[in-house]
Structure formats: C-alpha cells, structure tokens
Amino acid sequence: MSAVAETTGRPAALVAGASSGIGAAVAGRLAARGHAVALVGRREAELKEVAESIRTGGGTALPLALDLAEPGAPAEAVAATAAALGPVGVLVCSAGAIRLAAIHETEERHWERQVRVNLTVPFLLAREVLPGMRERRHGWIVNIGSGVGSEVVPGSGGYGVSKHAVERLTELVHEENRDLGIRAVTVAPGWVATRLAARPADLGVPEDEVLDAEDIADTVAWLLDRPARMSVGPLVRVEPTASRAAAGDAMTRHLTRARAEGAGPIAKESR
C-alpha cells in the first residue's frame, strides 16, 4: 500500500484517458479526495500537465504515457500503478475513439479501432484489476460510456455500437462481483463540452446548456461516496436538462451539418 493510501484510507486509482476532458477532470477529483492517481494516456506532455496540476494541489499523480490499444499496455499500466502507488482499487476508463459514419461508409480499420479503444481496453483493464479486487473484497470499476450507447442514432457507427457493448460489459462485471464488495457502473454522459464533441455554438446551443467535464467528475465522486450496502446503476445516464442539448439529437444535427458542408466521416480520439 502506498503512503498516500495509508494516510487517507483511499485506494490507488487508475484513470485511462486522463490527458484531457472527462478523464483529466475525474483524475483531478479523485486526487482531491485523497486517492493516489495513475494518469494513463498517449499524450505525454498533456499527462504531465495534469499531473503537475494535481501535485500543485497537494495530490499524488503518476503519469504513464502508454497507448492502451497496444498489446500488453493495459497489463503494463496496472503493474506500474501497483508498483508505484499500491493495488488499483478504483479503475476509471475514459479513453475514447469516435468516427461517426453510417455503417456502409465505415471502414473495417476504423470499426476495429473504435471497438479496441472503447470496449476491448476497458475489458483488458478490468481483467487485470479484478483478481486483486476480489481478493481484497472491495473495488470500483467505472466506465465512461455515452448517451448514444443507449439510443439508436443513425451515423453513430462503431462508436454507438462499442459504447452500447461497454454497458453490457459493465453489467457482467457488476453481476459477477457484486457479492465480493466490487461495484461496476457505466456513467453515460450526454453532450459534454470536450474536444470529442461538437461545439455548442456550431449547433446554435448556448454553452451553459451543455455539460462540462466537471459535471461527470462530480457524478463519479458521488458514486464513490455511496455506502457499501448501496448499488447504483450499473448504468447511470447524465444528460443536459435542455432537450436541444440531448446527446442523440445533438449528434444527428452534427452529422447533418457535416454532410451539408461536404465533410467526410468525423474522427476524433481522446486517449
């Protein structure tokens, strides 16, 4: 156990996709709660910035520049976290890849990339941390899904399919481990103002009607504060109040606008 865990009573946390957006916000919130946090992602410079911000606030952060989609990287991330900070007691999977396109327009390599990042990486990370959690009879696994995973949105392609599948993965982890003190939840946000999402101004929506990354960090912190006797989820949807900022409608308008402007498939990654 790390010195931080011994002092605060909080287990070490690993946040995948921690270099920006929701992952960075969740990592900062966990550190503020007293968790020593491993920050995992591809963009080393941004990871170091997030880590420095956490340390400035008195927290403990370990940046790990890894592409979790590469073979062996999830196991390496968990092993490095355990060696430096202690066993992973909180796993948050926020890494994401998105390429919006109709199914007939989706290339096989783009499909496989989204499934790998959005579904297989959370599976591999869960597989690595679950044996220790089961032995200790305590743990949290939080997967960041999407409101689009619970809706059929034409054009959401491999992103919508993989986010829907991660909900079932989380349900399985929950049911297989709930009697061992382990809780698994998918937090499925609607429209959040991050680099992965459309800009509110482009769709005529005021910025203050769209969620921000801190809203999702608040939700994760709230979940972790639930007493051991309470199970929430395993799917928790977090949507903007305004109907014009709903995830499915926003994505549909975003795709319609892109097609009208002659743009090809919309591709972004946050890892």
Side-chain angles (χ1 to χ4, degrees):
M1 182 177 293
S2 71
V4 173
E6 290 176 351
T7 302
T8 65
R10 305 279 194 182
L14 187 159
V15 180
S19 60
S20 65
I22 293 172
V26 170
R29 188 61 54 86
L30 293 177
R33 289 166 48 88
H35 298 271
V37 184
L39 314 172
V40 187
R42 292 186 306 166
R43 297 189 293 272
E44 185 174 10
E46 292 184 32
L47 284 176
K48 288 181 176 178
E49 289 179 8
V50 176
E52 184 57 31
S53 175
I54 287 173
R55 291 167 185 155
T56 299
T60 299
L62 173 70
L64 296 172
L66 294 168
D67 184 347
L68 289 168
E70 291 297 319
E76 182 180 349
V78 172
T81 301
L85 306 177
V88 175
V90 178
L91 171 65
V92 180
C93 297
S94 185
I98 180 170
R99 192 173 185 93
L100 302 180
I103 293 299
H104 70 280
E105 298 173 325
T106 301
E107 295 183 29
E108 183 177 356
R109 62 191 178 96
H110 297 148
W111 175 276
E112 291 180 348
R113 185 69 173 179
Q114 291 173 99
V115 171
R116 179 75 182 178
V117 174
N118 299 340
L119 177 61
T120 304
V121 165
F123 153 68
L124 292 172
L125 287 169
R127 190 179 66 170
E128 289 296 321
V129 302
L130 275 169
M133 289 181 175
R134 289 169 65 91
E135 183 178 345
R136 296 186 299 275
R137 301 185 71 84
H138 185 270
W140 273 98
I141 294 176
V142 180
N143 292 316
I144 304 300
S146 170
V148 174
S150 300
E151 303 175 29
V152 180
V153 180
S156 62
Y159 180 74
V161 171
S162 58
K163 288 298 187 180
H164 181 68
V166 86
E167 293 177 9
R168 177 53 56 89
L169 170 66
T170 307
E171 290 171 346
L172 283 169
V173 172
H174 172 75
E175 289 299 331
E176 291 172 358
N177 298 281
R178 61 188 299 176
D179 291 331
L180 295 173
I182 299 164
R183 287 172 285 182
V185 179
T186 297
V187 176
W191 190 357
V192 183
T194 69
R195 65 175 58 173
L196 278 183
R199 294 188 305 167
D202 290 344
L203 299 182
V205 175
E207 189 86 31
D208 61 3
E209 289 189 3
V210 177
L211 301 175
D212 63 32
E214 294 297 334
D215 294 325
I216 310 308
D218 287 343
T219 303
V220 173
W222 180 83
L223 286 169
L224 267 57
D225 278 338
R226 294 312 89 203
R229 66 180 179 276
M230 181 184 293
S231 174
V232 179
L235 173 64
V236 175
R237 293 196 61 174
V238 184
E239 288 277 357
T241 302
S243 60
R244 62 181 171 182
D249 290 345
M251 183 172 285
T252 298
R253 284 183 282 135
H254 185 39
L255 285 163
T256 300
R257 181 176 181 271
R259 286 169 178 153
E261 294 175 351
I266 301 167
K268 299 180 182 180
E269 288 199 32
S270 176
R271 297 192 291 119

PDB file of all heavy atoms in Angstrom, residues 110-126:
ATOM      1  N   HIS A 110     -11.385   1.371 -39.151  1.00  0.00           N
ATOM      2  CA  HIS A 110     -11.961   2.356 -38.244  1.00  0.00           C
ATOM      3  C   HIS A 110     -12.903   1.683 -37.249  1.00  0.00           C
ATOM      4  O   HIS A 110     -12.949   2.059 -36.076  1.00  0.00           O
ATOM      5  CB  HIS A 110     -12.718   3.428 -39.033  1.00  0.00           C
ATOM      6  CG  HIS A 110     -11.822   4.216 -39.932  1.00  0.00           C
ATOM      7  ND1 HIS A 110     -12.255   4.740 -41.133  1.00  0.00           N
ATOM      8  CD2 HIS A 110     -10.508   4.563 -39.813  1.00  0.00           C
ATOM      9  CE1 HIS A 110     -11.250   5.374 -41.713  1.00  0.00           C
ATOM     10  NE2 HIS A 110     -10.190   5.278 -40.934  1.00  0.00           N
ATOM     11  N   TRP A 111     -13.661   0.704 -37.707  1.00  0.00           N
ATOM     12  CA  TRP A 111     -14.524  -0.081 -36.819  1.00  0.00           C
ATOM     13  C   TRP A 111     -13.683  -0.756 -35.737  1.00  0.00           C
ATOM     14  O   TRP A 111     -13.975  -0.667 -34.549  1.00  0.00           O
ATOM     15  CB  TRP A 111     -15.282  -1.117 -37.637  1.00  0.00           C
ATOM     16  CG  TRP A 111     -16.115  -2.060 -36.814  1.00  0.00           C
ATOM     17  CD1 TRP A 111     -15.701  -3.202 -36.198  1.00  0.00           C
ATOM     18  CD2 TRP A 111     -17.507  -1.924 -36.512  1.00  0.00           C
ATOM     19  NE1 TRP A 111     -16.750  -3.803 -35.532  1.00  0.00           N
ATOM     20  CE2 TRP A 111     -17.866  -3.040 -35.711  1.00  0.00           C
ATOM     21  CE3 TRP A 111     -18.479  -0.992 -36.860  1.00  0.00           C
ATOM     22  CZ2 TRP A 111     -19.161  -3.227 -35.243  1.00  0.00           C
ATOM     23  CZ3 TRP A 111     -19.773  -1.172 -36.398  1.00  0.00           C
ATOM     24  CH2 TRP A 111     -20.103  -2.282 -35.597  1.00  0.00           C
ATOM     25  N   GLU A 112     -12.619  -1.427 -36.174  1.00  0.00           N
ATOM     26  CA  GLU A 112     -11.783  -2.169 -35.231  1.00  0.00           C
ATOM     27  C   GLU A 112     -11.095  -1.241 -34.231  1.00  0.00           C
ATOM     28  O   GLU A 112     -10.914  -1.605 -33.065  1.00  0.00           O
ATOM     29  CB  GLU A 112     -10.762  -2.999 -36.006  1.00  0.00           C
ATOM     30  CG  GLU A 112     -11.397  -4.152 -36.769  1.00  0.00           C
ATOM     31  CD  GLU A 112     -10.400  -4.982 -37.539  1.00  0.00           C
ATOM     32  OE1 GLU A 112      -9.230  -4.535 -37.683  1.00  0.00           O
ATOM     33  OE2 GLU A 112     -10.781  -6.074 -38.006  1.00  0.00           O
ATOM     34  N   ARG A 113     -10.699  -0.066 -34.673  1.00  0.00           N
ATOM     35  CA  ARG A 113     -10.056   0.883 -33.771  1.00  0.00           C
ATOM     36  C   ARG A 113     -11.003   1.317 -32.659  1.00  0.00           C
ATOM     37  O   ARG A 113     -10.642   1.363 -31.476  1.00  0.00           O
ATOM     38  CB  ARG A 113      -9.591   2.106 -34.556  1.00  0.00           C
ATOM     39  CG  ARG A 113      -8.802   3.126 -33.747  1.00  0.00           C
ATOM     40  CD  ARG A 113      -7.466   2.578 -33.364  1.00  0.00           C
ATOM     41  NE  ARG A 113      -6.628   3.578 -32.722  1.00  0.00           N
ATOM     42  CZ  ARG A 113      -5.402   3.334 -32.274  1.00  0.00           C
ATOM     43  NH1 ARG A 113      -4.886   2.126 -32.414  1.00  0.00           N
ATOM     44  NH2 ARG A 113      -4.694   4.274 -31.714  1.00  0.00           N
ATOM     45  N   GLN A 114     -12.244   1.624 -33.034  1.00  0.00           N
ATOM     46  CA  GLN A 114     -13.214   2.066 -32.030  1.00  0.00           C
ATOM     47  C   GLN A 114     -13.561   0.946 -31.058  1.00  0.00           C
ATOM     48  O   GLN A 114     -13.651   1.168 -29.847  1.00  0.00           O
ATOM     49  CB  GLN A 114     -14.472   2.586 -32.725  1.00  0.00           C
ATOM     50  CG  GLN A 114     -14.243   3.890 -33.463  1.00  0.00           C
ATOM     51  CD  GLN A 114     -15.443   4.310 -34.273  1.00  0.00           C
ATOM     52  OE1 GLN A 114     -16.232   5.139 -33.858  1.00  0.00           O
ATOM     53  NE2 GLN A 114     -15.596   3.714 -35.454  1.00  0.00           N
ATOM     54  N   VAL A 115     -13.761  -0.247 -31.571  1.00  0.00           N
ATOM     55  CA  VAL A 115     -14.068  -1.375 -30.695  1.00  0.00           C
ATOM     56  C   VAL A 115     -12.886  -1.655 -29.765  1.00  0.00           C
ATOM     57  O   VAL A 115     -13.070  -1.940 -28.577  1.00  0.00           O
ATOM     58  CB  VAL A 115     -14.436  -2.627 -31.520  1.00  0.00           C
ATOM     59  CG1 VAL A 115     -14.536  -3.854 -30.636  1.00  0.00           C
ATOM     60  CG2 VAL A 115     -15.758  -2.395 -32.263  1.00  0.00           C
ATOM     61  N   ARG A 116     -11.672  -1.546 -30.283  1.00  0.00           N
ATOM     62  CA  ARG A 116     -10.484  -1.791 -29.457  1.00  0.00           C
ATOM     63  C   ARG A 116     -10.387  -0.788 -28.320  1.00  0.00           C
ATOM     64  O   ARG A 116     -10.204  -1.159 -27.152  1.00  0.00           O
ATOM     65  CB  ARG A 116      -9.229  -1.714 -30.343  1.00  0.00           C
ATOM     66  CG  ARG A 116      -7.905  -1.915 -29.611  1.00  0.00           C
ATOM     67  CD  ARG A 116      -7.691  -3.364 -29.272  1.00  0.00           C
ATOM     68  NE  ARG A 116      -6.453  -3.576 -28.530  1.00  0.00           N
ATOM     69  CZ  ARG A 116      -6.044  -4.750 -28.081  1.00  0.00           C
ATOM     70  NH1 ARG A 116      -6.777  -5.831 -28.318  1.00  0.00           N
ATOM     71  NH2 ARG A 116      -4.930  -4.879 -27.408  1.00  0.00           N
ATOM     72  N   VAL A 117     -10.497   0.494 -28.650  1.00  0.00           N
ATOM     73  CA  VAL A 117     -10.310   1.541 -27.634  1.00  0.00           C
ATOM     74  C   VAL A 117     -11.499   1.615 -26.682  1.00  0.00           C
ATOM     75  O   VAL A 117     -11.331   1.705 -25.463  1.00  0.00           O
ATOM     76  CB  VAL A 117     -10.081   2.912 -28.306  1.00  0.00           C
ATOM     77  CG1 VAL A 117     -10.043   4.029 -27.257  1.00  0.00           C
ATOM     78  CG2 VAL A 117      -8.782   2.903 -29.111  1.00  0.00           C
ATOM     79  N   ASN A 118     -12.709   1.571 -27.219  1.00  0.00           N
ATOM     80  CA  ASN A 118     -13.907   1.827 -26.416  1.00  0.00           C
ATOM     81  C   ASN A 118     -14.409   0.617 -25.646  1.00  0.00           C
ATOM     82  O   ASN A 118     -15.102   0.771 -24.634  1.00  0.00           O
ATOM     83  CB  ASN A 118     -15.046   2.336 -27.309  1.00  0.00           C
ATOM     84  CG  ASN A 118     -14.707   3.633 -28.004  1.00  0.00           C
ATOM     85  OD1 ASN A 118     -13.808   4.368 -27.581  1.00  0.00           O
ATOM     86  ND2 ASN A 118     -15.402   3.918 -29.084  1.00  0.00           N
ATOM     87  N   LEU A 119     -14.071  -0.590 -26.100  1.00  0.00           N
ATOM     88  CA  LEU A 119     -14.608  -1.800 -25.475  1.00  0.00           C
ATOM     89  C   LEU A 119     -13.519  -2.763 -25.005  1.00  0.00           C
ATOM     90  O   LEU A 119     -13.538  -3.206 -23.849  1.00  0.00           O
ATOM     91  CB  LEU A 119     -15.535  -2.524 -26.459  1.00  0.00           C
ATOM     92  CG  LEU A 119     -16.120  -3.858 -25.990  1.00  0.00           C
ATOM     93  CD1 LEU A 119     -16.971  -3.665 -24.743  1.00  0.00           C
ATOM     94  CD2 LEU A 119     -16.933  -4.514 -27.114  1.00  0.00           C
ATOM     95  N   THR A 120     -12.577  -3.082 -25.879  1.00  0.00           N
ATOM     96  CA  THR A 120     -11.572  -4.079 -25.507  1.00  0.00           C
ATOM     97  C   THR A 120     -10.627  -3.555 -24.430  1.00  0.00           C
ATOM     98  O   THR A 120     -10.264  -4.304 -23.507  1.00  0.00           O
ATOM     99  CB  THR A 120     -10.779  -4.538 -26.743  1.00  0.00           C
ATOM    100  OG1 THR A 120     -11.699  -5.029 -27.723  1.00  0.00           O
ATOM    101  CG2 THR A 120      -9.797  -5.626 -26.386  1.00  0.00           C
ATOM    102  N   VAL A 121     -10.232  -2.296 -24.508  1.00  0.00           N
ATOM    103  CA  VAL A 121      -9.357  -1.737 -23.471  1.00  0.00           C
ATOM    104  C   VAL A 121     -10.029  -1.771 -22.092  1.00  0.00           C
ATOM    105  O   VAL A 121      -9.404  -2.222 -21.119  1.00  0.00           O
ATOM    106  CB  VAL A 121      -8.895  -0.322 -23.850  1.00  0.00           C
ATOM    107  CG1 VAL A 121      -8.295   0.402 -22.642  1.00  0.00           C
ATOM    108  CG2 VAL A 121      -7.860  -0.384 -24.970  1.00  0.00           C
ATOM    109  N   PRO A 122     -11.284  -1.341 -21.940  1.00  0.00           N
ATOM    110  CA  PRO A 122     -11.930  -1.494 -20.628  1.00  0.00           C
ATOM    111  C   PRO A 122     -12.001  -2.948 -20.158  1.00  0.00           C
ATOM    112  O   PRO A 122     -11.840  -3.226 -18.964  1.00  0.00           O
ATOM    113  CB  PRO A 122     -13.330  -0.919 -20.856  1.00  0.00           C
ATOM    114  CG  PRO A 122     -13.145   0.088 -21.926  1.00  0.00           C
ATOM    115  CD  PRO A 122     -12.115  -0.512 -22.841  1.00  0.00           C
ATOM    116  N   PHE A 123     -12.246  -3.880 -21.085  1.00  0.00           N
ATOM    117  CA  PHE A 123     -12.254  -5.302 -20.727  1.00  0.00           C
ATOM    118  C   PHE A 123     -10.885  -5.742 -20.205  1.00  0.00           C
ATOM    119  O   PHE A 123     -10.779  -6.402 -19.160  1.00  0.00           O
ATOM    120  CB  PHE A 123     -12.656  -6.147 -21.939  1.00  0.00           C
ATOM    121  CG  PHE A 123     -12.118  -7.544 -21.920  1.00  0.00           C
ATOM    122  CD1 PHE A 123     -12.565  -8.472 -20.983  1.00  0.00           C
ATOM    123  CD2 PHE A 123     -11.128  -7.939 -22.821  1.00  0.00           C
ATOM    124  CE1 PHE A 123     -12.048  -9.765 -20.956  1.00  0.00           C
ATOM    125  CE2 PHE A 123     -10.606  -9.221 -22.797  1.00  0.00           C
ATOM    126  CZ  PHE A 123     -11.068 -10.136 -21.861  1.00  0.00           C
ATOM    127  N   LEU A 124      -9.828  -5.385 -20.924  1.00  0.00           N
ATOM    128  CA  LEU A 124      -8.480  -5.811 -20.529  1.00  0.00           C
ATOM    129  C   LEU A 124      -8.074  -5.198 -19.191  1.00  0.00           C
ATOM    130  O   LEU A 124      -7.454  -5.870 -18.353  1.00  0.00           O
ATOM    131  CB  LEU A 124      -7.480  -5.436 -21.617  1.00  0.00           C
ATOM    132  CG  LEU A 124      -7.613  -6.212 -22.941  1.00  0.00           C
ATOM    133  CD1 LEU A 124      -6.703  -5.615 -23.999  1.00  0.00           C
ATOM    134  CD2 LEU A 124      -7.313  -7.688 -22.737  1.00  0.00           C
ATOM    135  N   LEU A 125      -8.408  -3.941 -18.972  1.00  0.00           N
ATOM    136  CA  LEU A 125      -8.083  -3.307 -17.697  1.00  0.00           C
ATOM    137  C   LEU A 125      -8.867  -3.954 -16.561  1.00  0.00           C
ATOM    138  O   LEU A 125      -8.313  -4.222 -15.485  1.00  0.00           O
ATOM    139  CB  LEU A 125      -8.368  -1.808 -17.769  1.00  0.00           C
ATOM    140  CG  LEU A 125      -7.384  -0.986 -18.591  1.00  0.00           C
ATOM    141  CD1 LEU A 125      -7.932   0.428 -18.815  1.00  0.00           C
ATOM    142  CD2 LEU A 125      -6.017  -0.909 -17.922  1.00  0.00           C
ATOM    143  N   ALA A 126     -10.153  -4.213 -16.787  1.00  0.00           N
ATOM    144  CA  ALA A 126     -10.959  -4.872 -15.756  1.00  0.00           C
ATOM    145  C   ALA A 126     -10.406  -6.251 -15.441  1.00  0.00           C
ATOM    146  O   ALA A 126     -10.324  -6.658 -14.268  1.00  0.00           O
ATOM    147  CB  ALA A 126     -12.416  -4.974 -16.208  1.00  0.00           C
TER     148      ALA A 126
END
